[in-house]
Amino acid sequence: MMNKQRLLRITAAAAALTVIAGCGAKAAGSEPASTGALAVVATTPEVADFVRNIGGADVTVTQIIKPNVDPHEYEPTPADLQAIATAKVVVKSGVGLEEWLGTTITSAGFTGAVVDSSSGVTLREGEEGGEHGPDPHIWHDPRNAKIMVTNIEKGLAAAEPGKAAAFAANLTTYTAELDKLDADTVAAFATLPAQDRKLVTNHDAFGYYVARYQLQFVGSVIPSMDTSAELSGKQLTDLVAKIRATGTKAIFAESSLPPKTAEAIAQQAGVKVVAGEDALFGDSLGAAGTPEGTYLGAERHNTQVILEALAG
């Protein structure tokens, strides 16, 4: 849940951005416009990649949150407001991940369609009984990703009916790739004994992945689905004890979070920390132009890194 101080900052920023947007500032980082292409704003790297795959050449996508930026702590910029103001469709990940979006859309005067890609996904609650609401990291189960891209296809087709057949064809192609990703991941984890499938991450971002591929979630450095939570001394001690008691082999850092605390806990627990180029993509994707810059590539990276670390 968004704290009051952050809500006030976003509200004030949005009010100021309204004035700036009126000056016609160009949205930084937006892709060059194509004649006749549908202008879409996508909030996160994951949904932006989904829109590109479903929309193809018939859409131009402005991605709000850049790679390796923590979406839980994101605050909108003047360029974001201008991009939303000139878009025809806004696509969000949903489940409360983009707490800033509603205020920003209102300030931008946006009157187009907002597509909630999470619609229809069965949500999980956090390990703490849902204290922070449902888990927003739905894309880590490819079956949920299929629901997300189906919602996106419907939204694009409604906004651009003349291109509906192309969007439907792209959806068929991409869902087949998602099915293959899921099948490959199931097969990969079948090679790892159940007693070795123990996961400790920077924050509780992999619940859907854990459930889908039958891993055991031992704990997280940040004891929450929200990265703004803080680890108490007792929680740190408890996590170290749990890692030792369960025989967990590694702690996995994440690309959008600093690894220092994970490294300190790993040292105390006597296990390795997986970080740097091997860090998991929990909330983000990799750099544009790399395999990990796509959803499929990032998920394959995660699986390969986890398997190699736990098998070792």
Side-chain angles (χ1 to χ4, degrees), residues 99-292:
E99 293 181 308
W100 49 270
L101 185 59
T103 300
T104 307
I105 283 176
T106 300
S107 298
F110 176 74
T111 58
V114 178
V115 176
D116 183 349
S117 66
S118 71
S119 181
V121 172
T122 300
L123 304 178
R124 67 175 286 269
E125 298 294 338
E127 294 296 314
E128 300 174 7
E131 178 184 350
H132 300 288
D135 184 349
H137 306 91
I138 57 176
W139 59 88
H140 285 305
D141 184 335
R143 299 172 302 179
N144 291 342
K146 287 177 65 175
I147 296 173
M148 297 173 78
V149 294
T150 299
N151 289 330
I152 291 169
E153 184 269 337
K154 290 177 181 177
L156 297 183
E160 194 70 81
K163 302 295 177 61
F167 298 148
N170 292 341
L171 176 65
T172 298
T173 299
Y174 192 66
T175 52
E177 294 186 62
L178 293 174
D179 285 336
K180 185 177 187 308
L181 170 69
D182 188 38
D184 289 347
T185 307
V186 169
F189 276 110
T191 67
L192 185 68
Q195 64 267 23
D196 292 332
R197 300 179 193 174
K198 298 181 174 71
L199 197 66
V200 176
T201 55
N202 254 23
H203 81 301
D204 186 4
F206 290 89
Y208 297 96
Y209 186 94
V210 165
R212 174 63 182 132
Y213 302 116
Q214 299 179 24
L215 280 68
Q216 178 185 344
F217 180 67
V218 175
S220 55
V221 175
I222 300 171
S224 173
M225 296 175 296
D226 187 339
T227 57
S228 63
E230 295 181 0
L231 182 69
S232 70
K234 182 180 185 304
Q235 288 169 323
L236 189 154
T237 302
D238 289 347
L239 179 57
V240 169
K242 195 172 183 181
I243 290 170
R244 290 173 174 167
T246 57
T248 301
K249 294 181 179 180
I251 297 176
F252 296 91
E254 297 172 42
S255 64
S256 57
L257 294 170
K260 288 185 177 181
T261 305
E263 291 168 348
I265 292 174
Q267 185 175 12
Q268 290 187 44
V271 299
K272 61 187 171 184
V273 62
V274 180
E277 292 184 357
D278 289 334
L280 301 184
F281 296 102
D283 279 333
S284 187
L285 300 181
T290 67
E292 295 80 15

Side-chain angles (χ1 to χ4, degrees), residues 47-109:
V47 294
D49 186 54
F50 291 157
V51 173
R52 292 185 187 104
N53 278 280
I54 303 306
D58 294 313
V59 301
T60 57
V61 183
T62 299
Q63 177 181 319
I64 296 294
I65 302 176
K66 301 304 183 280
N68 296 322
V69 173
D70 182 357
H72 299 278
E73 291 295 298
Y74 190 76
E75 295 183 11
T77 68
D80 298 337
L81 197 81
Q82 180 64 11
I84 290 170
T86 56
K88 299 298 183 183
V89 179
V90 171
V91 181
K92 66 178 182 177
S93 187
V95 201
L97 187 64
E98 306 97 331
E99 293 181 308
W100 49 270
L101 185 59
T103 300
T104 307
I105 283 176
T106 300
S107 298

